[in-house]
Amino acid sequence: MSSHSAYLNAWVFTAIAGTRPEQGGRLSLPETLDGADYFNRAMISKSELEHGVRDLVSAGLISVAGQSFALTETGHDVSKSVWRKYEQRRSGNHPIAIAEERLKSIPCAEELGGWSLTQQEFDSAVATYRTNFRETLRKIDPELATWIEQGRPSRADRQLEDLLARVRARHPSLRIDEVMPPFRSAHMPIQPGLRFAIALSVQGDELQLYVGDRFWVEYFPSSKPVVVEDLEARVLGLISGECRIVESYIGHHGVSARLECRDESGRWRRRARWSSLRSLLPLRRHERVLQNVGP
């Protein structure tokens, strides 16, 4: 059984609304799992999905037919308002965070019963989602697909696994999910105590850090302990609020993002930066800040 939270309802709502937004479009169970993974970079559990669906059905935001889902008219109205605010790109919010604010008054419908899955049905949907994921991956990155199927961990994989073990030791309540076995990447989805998603992955001898919607940076070579230590410090800083991401936009287009951390005097210092070619344009821009308050 999962605990009731606006965050959970927002996660399920965004998975459905963001994956098949058109009027009348229905989403299959594997597609819903795909949407949940895409928007929150994490695999939703059976109990979380059941709880979220029951709450959203009770609130009149979605309809369920067997193992497919669709937005109601009310759900479409909420979805439009969420995406309209998200597209403004000024509040520093992820779609799930915006939806969470809109859905915070939804009562818990867990005790009322309702839609549910058997474990076999859920496992079958997960298997279908993973099969579809691998088929897509074979088309866009055959080498990576082969590596996943063979399941041979590299030294960088083990370093990432050790790093995450240390993060878990510091923050035992923090949810950290693997996309799929074998171990290659991990995601810390938006959750109580974490205002934005953080993802870590391995590419060859590189360790990669992704934060929010825009920022990513490579730490290379991962064979050097100082590189891994630097990455670990940035991850812990992002969780504690001692580091932050400052995104820069021209209109609705994200053109750059920088990772800043406090120095000993408390001043913000840039530690890493991502940018696109649009960042070279001499146009007015605005910024939004992603900073956590700590778990």
Side-chain angles (χ1 to χ4, degrees):
M1 180 180 296
S2 63
S3 58
H4 176 76
S5 72
Y7 152 76
L8 175 57
N9 289 334
W11 185 8
V12 176
F13 181 80
T14 305
I16 297 171
T19 307
R20 187 67 62 82
E22 64 269 18
Q23 184 73 31
R26 301 201 69 84
L27 212 62
S28 69
L29 181 55
E31 288 174 324
T32 302
L33 297 177
D34 188 4
D37 189 0
Y38 176 81
F39 283 105
N40 209 12
R41 296 176 179 172
M43 177 61 70
I44 196 167
S45 70
K46 174 179 174 292
S47 61
E48 288 172 331
L49 180 62
E50 289 174 335
H51 195 146
V53 167
R54 290 172 183 173
D55 284 358
L56 295 174
V57 169
S58 179
L61 297 177
I62 67 171
S63 65
V64 178
Q67 294 184 16
S68 68
F69 314 92
L71 296 177
T72 63
E73 290 187 10
T74 302
H76 274 286
D77 291 340
V78 173
S79 176
K80 289 176 183 177
S81 69
V82 168
W83 289 101
R84 187 162 49 244
K85 184 173 182 180
Y86 174 67
E87 288 170 356
Q88 293 174 358
R89 295 291 203 279
R90 293 178 181 173
S91 61
N93 282 334
H94 186 279
I96 294 177
I98 300 172
E100 181 179 8
E101 180 65 23
R102 289 297 309 271
L103 305 181
K104 63 183 179 181
S105 62
I106 290 180
C108 178
E110 181 73 14
E111 295 182 358
L112 301 178
W115 185 80
S116 64
L117 292 167
T118 66
Q119 189 63 51
Q120 183 178 3
E121 289 171 334
F122 181 77
D123 291 344
S124 176
V126 170
T128 299
Y129 157 61
R130 289 181 169 174
T131 297
N132 294 340
F133 176 86
R134 286 192 173 99
E135 289 177 353
T136 301
L137 188 60
R138 288 191 190 101
K139 296 177 182 178
I140 62 177
D141 194 337
E143 183 178 349
L144 176 57
T146 300
W147 185 94
I148 289 177
E149 290 168 355
Q150 293 175 343
R152 293 197 299 264
S154 66
R155 178 170 59 180
D157 292 312
R158 291 190 291 270
Q159 289 171 324
L160 181 55
E161 189 170 7
D162 291 343
L163 185 157
L164 287 170
R166 294 191 293 272
V167 172
R168 286 188 174 103
R170 291 279 297 272
H171 301 284
S173 63
L174 190 67
R175 174 174 176 172
I176 304 177
D177 297 315
E178 298 176 31
V179 175
M180 63 172 58
F183 193 93
R184 188 177 181 88
S185 63
H187 304 284
M188 305 171 206
I190 296 171
Q191 57 193 284
L194 189 62
R195 292 182 170 181
F196 46 82
I198 300 174
L200 296 160
S201 67
V202 173
Q203 184 68 38
D205 197 26
E206 296 176 354
L207 294 174
Q208 300 177 336
L209 171 65
Y210 304 81
V211 185
D213 295 334
R214 299 292 171 187
F215 180 82
W216 75 278
V217 67
E218 301 166 341
Y219 288 80
F220 175 85
S222 61
S223 56
K224 291 187 176 181
V226 66
V227 172
V228 180
E229 291 170 4
D230 187 30
L231 172 58
E232 181 177 345
R234 304 308 169 217
V235 172
L236 292 173
L238 287 165
I239 295 170
S240 69
E242 288 300 304
C243 295
R244 67 182 185 179
I245 301 297
V246 181
E247 299 177 338
S248 180
Y249 290 84
I250 296 177
H252 293 168
H253 299 286
V255 296
S256 66
R258 61 186 185 271
L259 169 63
E260 297 180 342
C261 298
R262 294 187 189 275
D263 61 17
E264 294 180 355
S265 66
R267 299 178 62 182
W268 292 106
R269 300 291 186 183
R270 191 177 76 183
R271 302 303 182 188
R273 185 174 185 268
W274 166 87
S275 64
S276 68
L277 290 176
R278 278 198 177 102
S279 65
L280 301 176
L281 297 174
L283 300 175
R284 179 179 297 180
R285 59 197 68 198
H286 61 272
E287 294 183 339
R288 67 172 184 172
V289 177
L290 304 181
Q291 185 178 5
N292 199 36
V293 294

